[in-house]
Amino acid sequence: MRKIEAFGNRGDKMVEQSIRARKDVLRGNCKEIRKNMEMDYLKEASHAITEHLMASSMYQEAKTIFAYMSYGKEVITDEFIERALADGKNICIPLCLPENQMEAKLYRSEEDLHIGKYGIREPREDGKVVLPEEIDLAIIPCVACDKRGNRLGHGAGYYDRYLEHANFRKVALCPEQLILSNVAVSKQDITMDAVITEDGITVINE
């Protein structure tokens, strides 16, 4: 029995190594797509994605929303966050912690921000923590997605760890240029409940 288990463990490790290698290839391909992506396209796509998101029942029914602060050529969330605050929504944003952990901090204005590691806008450490059970909807960034809700992240695992036991709805924002036919997934990867591109919303889980 021990020999069978040992073989099974080696097999699992080989599968995970293969998946990680496939993800690395996909990230490399997507990096080139992002590099060549025009900012005018990204701004237009981000605005259209914001319109689709705000028209959705997921948004309209949510009181507290977890949203990322966009960086680089991610789908831009500034317009969404500003409009959601004007709608009276509670907004919280991620703070990355040691050991690839994450927590959500209440966001009210740019005064709550500072420039963190890698130049990413982050909430201040003394900001109010918003617990996962208080969140109704999470807006998640990605390197790429497929239409089955599989998300390719940057590889650090912050979001997958944070979302592992979440009961709120999870929505990935992704330009159509970065929608793939198939994203390689590991056991720990969290499937999105919906994917929004400039062309509309794909709902995976109601």
Side-chain angles (χ1 to χ4, degrees), residues 34 42 46 49-50 53 65-78 80-81 91-95 102 107 113 120-121 123 137-142 151 154 159 171-175 196:
R34 283 181 182 272
L42 182 61
S46 297
I49 288 169
T50 296
L53 174 56
I65 301 172
F66 175 87
Y68 68 94
M69 302 300 294
S70 49
Y71 171 77
K73 288 189 175 179
E74 293 176 330
V75 170
I76 302 165
T77 55
D78 296 63
F80 168 73
I81 290 171
I91 298 294
C92 53
I93 58 177
L95 175 65
M102 178 185 284
Y107 175 79
L113 297 175
I120 298 173
R121 294 173 293 171
L137 175 66
I139 309 304
I140 309 298
C142 64
R151 168 185 169 269
H154 290 283
Y159 282 94
V171 178
L173 308 186
C174 186
I196 306 181

Side-chain angles (χ1 to χ4, degrees), residues 61 88 97 115 159 198:
E61 293 168 3
L97 303 170
I115 304 301
Y159 282 94
E198 65 268 31

Side-chain angles (χ1 to χ4, degrees), residues 189-202:
D189 292 335
I190 304 298
T191 303
M192 299 292 102
D193 296 307
V195 176
I196 306 181
T197 74
E198 65 268 31
D199 289 349
I201 301 177
T202 300

Side-chain angles (χ1 to χ4, degrees), residues 2 22 36 46-48 54-55 60 94 98 100 115 118 124 126 135 137 143 145 151 174 181 187 204:
R2 286 196 297 271
R22 287 165 60 195
N36 296 319
S46 297
H47 175 70
M54 299 194 76
Q60 294 168 7
N100 298 75
I115 304 301
Y118 308 119
R124 300 184 184 280
D126 60 356
I135 297 171
L137 175 66
V143 172
C145 268
R151 168 185 169 269
C174 186
S181 59
K187 291 179 181 179
I204 294 91

Side-chain angles (χ1 to χ4, degrees), residues 126-138:
D126 60 356
K128 181 183 177 182
V129 175
V130 178
L131 299 175
E133 53 264 35
E134 300 177 74
I135 297 171
D136 303 305
L137 175 66

Side-chain angles (χ1 to χ4, degrees), residues 8-72:
N9 290 337
R10 287 200 301 272
D12 289 344
K13 288 179 181 178
M14 290 175 65
V15 170
E16 285 300 311
Q17 288 172 356
S18 175
I19 291 171
R20 283 198 295 270
R22 287 165 60 195
K23 286 183 177 181
D24 288 341
V25 170
L26 290 176
R27 289 190 185 100
N29 293 340
C30 292
K31 183 178 180 180
E32 287 302 308
I33 295 172
R34 283 181 182 272
K35 182 180 178 181
N36 296 319
M37 187 181 290
E38 297 287 341
M39 281 305 299
D40 284 346
Y41 162 74
L42 182 61
K43 290 176 182 177
E44 290 175 5
S46 297
H47 175 70
I49 288 169
T50 296
E51 292 293 333
H52 291 311
L53 174 56
M54 299 194 76
S56 71
S57 59
M58 295 181 294
Y59 169 78
Q60 294 168 7
E61 293 168 3
K63 294 181 179 178
T64 300
I65 301 172
F66 175 87
Y68 68 94
M69 302 300 294
S70 49
Y71 171 77

